[in-house]
Amino acid sequence: MQTSALPDLAHTDAKPVHWLATATAMAAVVALAGLLQPDAATATASASEHRVTTQQGSAPTMTAPDPAEVAFPLDCGGAGWTVADSAPGDLDGDGGPETVAVVRCAAGSGTPPSGIYVVTQPSGAAPRVVATLLDPAQKRAVTDFTVRDGRVSATLLGYSSADVPRCCPDELESATWQWKGNAFIRSAGPAGSTARGV
């Protein structure tokens, strides 16, 4: 066996005491790292405390009611109903969001008339309909539906007579609803006809 010309290195001849010293040093590093960073529960609690502190005096953030949890006042027989469109918004200026839903009977074909409903959910209660902006009995289809700046806007499509095919509405009306005082007030744009030459 050939001997090395270099001096013996300490790490080449490790003894149990060396391994014990290395393990102790590693344990100290891991423990120190754990002390310097808070665990997830502490971080979450701190974030919650900060959020409460910065929002003193303001109402907690509320989510808009889910229209899928509401029993709408539609008579659809056994067909049931479907939410064709919905949008959240603070319509009455109280800081809590309402949901406006366009709902119609679930038909296999054609375009059944739609209703537009305002849904609210008081704290701890189930969501419920508090206003009907458009009753399906008015026999209108709804397009271009928006909720913005406390206003509900929609384009209403209808039929001038029973002779007009149900596929092709020939009347068009713009409508806007806004909460004033204690009721939703409707303002209508000019009614028009979608038929040519009229």
Side-chain angles (χ1 to χ4, degrees):
M1 176 172 190
Q2 185 176 7
T3 59
S4 172
L6 298 174
D8 288 337
L9 300 176
H11 69 275
T12 60
D13 190 23
K15 303 214 186 300
V17 71
H18 294 123
W19 288 111
L20 183 60
T22 302
T24 303
M26 289 300 294
V29 168
V30 170
L32 185 60
L35 291 174
L36 293 178
Q37 294 183 352
D39 62 7
T42 304
T44 303
S46 297
S48 297
E49 290 165 5
H50 177 67
R51 186 173 58 248
V52 169
T53 302
T54 57
Q55 293 183 355
Q56 278 183 353
S58 65
T61 304
M62 298 185 298
T63 58
D66 183 359
E69 298 177 7
V70 178
F72 290 97
L74 274 85
D75 182 15
C76 298
W81 50 264
T82 184
V83 177
D85 203 351
S86 68
D90 181 8
L91 302 177
D92 56 4
D94 68 351
E98 288 80 30
T99 297
V100 183
V102 177
V103 185
R104 64 178 179 228
C105 292
S109 62
T111 306
S114 297
I116 301 177
Y117 303 96
V118 177
V119 177
T120 189
Q121 185 171 11
S123 180
R128 62 187 176 92
V129 173
V130 293
T132 300
L133 304 181
L134 178 70
D135 193 312
Q138 294 175 299
K139 299 186 187 289
R140 297 285 185 245
V142 177
T143 63
D144 302 325
F145 167 74
T146 60
V147 176
R148 187 176 297 123
D149 299 327
R151 291 188 173 127
V152 179
S153 301
T155 300
L156 309 179
L157 305 175
Y159 305 92
S160 59
S161 73
D163 296 331
V164 176
R166 297 295 108 174
C167 68
C168 311
D170 64 340
E171 291 184 335
L172 176 131
E173 178 185 7
S174 295
T176 301
W177 294 267
Q178 186 171 12
W179 181 260
K180 293 188 179 177
N182 59 357
F184 285 98
I185 305 300
R186 177 179 171 176
S187 57
S193 173
T194 59
R196 294 184 184 182
V198 178

